[in-house]
Amino acid sequence: MNLETSRNKKRLLMKMTSKISLLFFAALVFSLVFTGCSLPEEEKKDVLKILEIRESLSNNGQTNKLAILLTDDFPNRKEYLDQLKYRNFYFTEYDYSINSINFTFYNRLTKSIQAIVDFDLTFKVPEDPAATILFGRVEKVNLVKEKIGWKIDSIEEVKDSGRKIAPQLVHDIFYPLDTRKTALSNNDFQLFESVIHPDFVSRNELLSDFKENAEVFSDINYALKGRKLISVSTDEKNAEVIQYFDLAFKTKEGGVSEKLENQKEVVSLKKSDDGTWKIIGGLR
């Protein structure tokens, strides 16, 4: 082997070593920066807690406490907090409810995270017959870790995400549920029958049970504690509503009172041929 050949081999070896080093360094940087799937469990718990606290404070209108969760560099920070404050004065009903949280980006070097938040939004203005509901809205929430912990650095709503349910439709879906509540309180069989869909499974048995209860109980109090529209079909002909309630009743013989607390039911409704909504399932 001559001297020139030996030099060429050394140069080639050095180039290969340099390329391997660069590739290794690039892989190392990539693993440190783009580690969306390797978010440490403890960090994940802390970030989820921040997002859950934000959900609660937003619904309670506690903007002063919410401000603590935002970084000083949060875009239009004052305007954002002012909007939340005015919103709670204007809307007669407001609910921000998280459906899911997915982490798409985690940077160990800059200690930053991006979360994709899927949520439902309910709000009611005084002049509307019911609330407006937005199903499946999406927002990108960027967080950074400061000395005292994780804070929200920016929030960007994805335009045109989700589906809007208009106030009149929400009102029409809830109407038979309110009518049923009135029928129970007044032992009004005809009123109760009017909101039960002809296609309700065991409809005759349900109506028969109502008559029997009316003979046994003198007072029935269905105390609605909460209600949420959880789904509406794309053709707007079927819907599901979850209701939370207490049920109190008194027997005619002896006047013995009983109460069932913290009850829950998921009621299915269907739009009838005449355009009115009726209950088609979920009643016991």
Side-chain angles (χ1 to χ4, degrees):
M1 180 182 297
N2 59 38
L3 184 59
E4 187 62 30
T5 302
S6 177
R7 288 176 178 172
N8 288 338
K9 285 187 176 181
K10 286 183 178 179
R11 290 194 195 102
L12 180 61
L13 183 60
M14 290 178 64
K15 286 182 180 179
M16 291 178 63
T17 304
S18 177
K19 287 182 178 180
I20 292 172
S21 298
L22 286 173
L23 288 172
F24 177 78
F25 180 74
L28 178 62
V29 171
F30 185 88
S31 66
L32 288 173
V33 178
F34 301 102
T35 54
C37 296
S38 60
L39 176 62
E41 194 61 32
E42 286 303 314
E43 300 284 29
K44 183 177 180 180
K45 289 180 181 178
D46 291 342
V47 173
L48 288 174
K49 190 64 177 178
I50 292 295
L51 295 175
E52 289 169 0
I53 293 173
R54 176 206 168 203
E55 176 184 32
S56 177
L57 295 177
S58 295
N59 290 330
N60 295 331
Q62 299 182 42
T63 53
N64 290 336
K65 292 183 178 180
L66 183 57
I68 300 173
L69 302 182
L70 307 181
T71 64
D72 292 338
D73 296 329
F74 188 96
N76 302 312
R77 190 175 189 275
K78 184 179 183 303
E79 290 82 354
Y80 175 78
L81 292 170
D82 285 344
Q83 283 183 358
L84 295 181
K85 187 185 301 181
Y86 299 145
R87 177 197 67 201
N88 284 279
F89 285 121
Y90 179 61
F91 293 134
T92 58
E93 181 181 343
Y94 182 87
D95 182 70
Y96 167 88
S97 179
I98 295 175
N99 298 318
S100 64
I101 300 172
N102 293 306
F103 297 105
T104 58
F105 176 84
Y106 171 53
N107 189 322
R108 289 183 185 177
L109 297 179
T110 61
K111 295 182 179 180
S112 59
I113 288 176
Q114 183 178 87
I116 303 299
V117 181
D118 181 292
F119 65 98
D120 296 338
L121 189 64
T122 300
F123 59 91
K124 185 181 184 302
V125 298
E127 58 268 26
D128 283 344
T132 297
I133 298 177
L134 300 174
F135 283 134
R137 289 284 290 172
V138 176
E139 60 187 359
K140 298 177 182 178
V141 182
N142 293 303
L143 303 98
V144 295
K145 191 172 186 179
E146 299 184 345
K147 290 182 179 179
I148 61 173
W150 287 95
K151 285 194 173 186
I152 299 171
D153 196 44
S154 68
I155 300 172
E156 177 190 350
E157 286 199 21
V158 177
K159 292 183 179 180
D160 300 324
S161 63
R163 179 182 169 211
K164 180 180 178 179
I165 309 298
Q168 188 59 53
L169 179 56
V170 176
H171 170 271
D172 294 346
I173 292 171
F174 286 169
Y175 184 78
L177 299 174
D178 291 331
T179 303
R180 171 212 175 200
K181 180 176 180 293
T182 301
L184 288 172
S185 299
N186 295 291
N187 279 336
D188 191 327
F189 174 78
Q190 290 185 334
L191 189 61
F192 182 79
E193 183 183 31
S194 70
V195 295
I196 307 301
H197 199 280
D199 296 336
F200 192 105
V201 178
S202 303
R203 184 175 190 272
N204 292 335
E205 181 181 348
L206 179 69
L207 296 177
S208 177
D209 288 344
F210 184 92
K211 286 183 177 180
E212 291 180 9
N213 288 335
E215 293 176 359
V216 175
F217 302 110
S218 59
D219 295 307
I220 299 177
N221 181 20
Y222 180 100
L224 184 65
K225 299 171 69 175
R227 171 189 288 165
K228 183 177 181 181
L229 181 63
I230 54 178
S231 71
V232 178
S233 62
T234 53
D235 61 3
E236 298 186 350
K237 291 185 178 180
N238 290 275
E240 279 191 325
V241 177
I242 187 169
Q243 299 195 127
Y244 302 91
F245 63 96
D246 292 337
L247 186 64
F249 45 90
K250 182 185 292 185
T251 59
K252 290 182 178 179
E253 286 189 21
V256 178
S257 298
E258 294 188 41
K259 187 174 184 180
L260 300 174
E261 296 183 320
N262 302 319
Q263 301 296 297
K264 180 179 74 173
E265 61 183 359
V266 178
V267 184
S268 301
L269 301 103
K270 183 177 181 179
K271 196 172 187 179
S272 302
D273 294 337
D274 62 2
T276 61
W277 285 82
K278 296 182 185 295
I279 300 169
I280 197 169
L283 303 187
R284 294 177 290 178

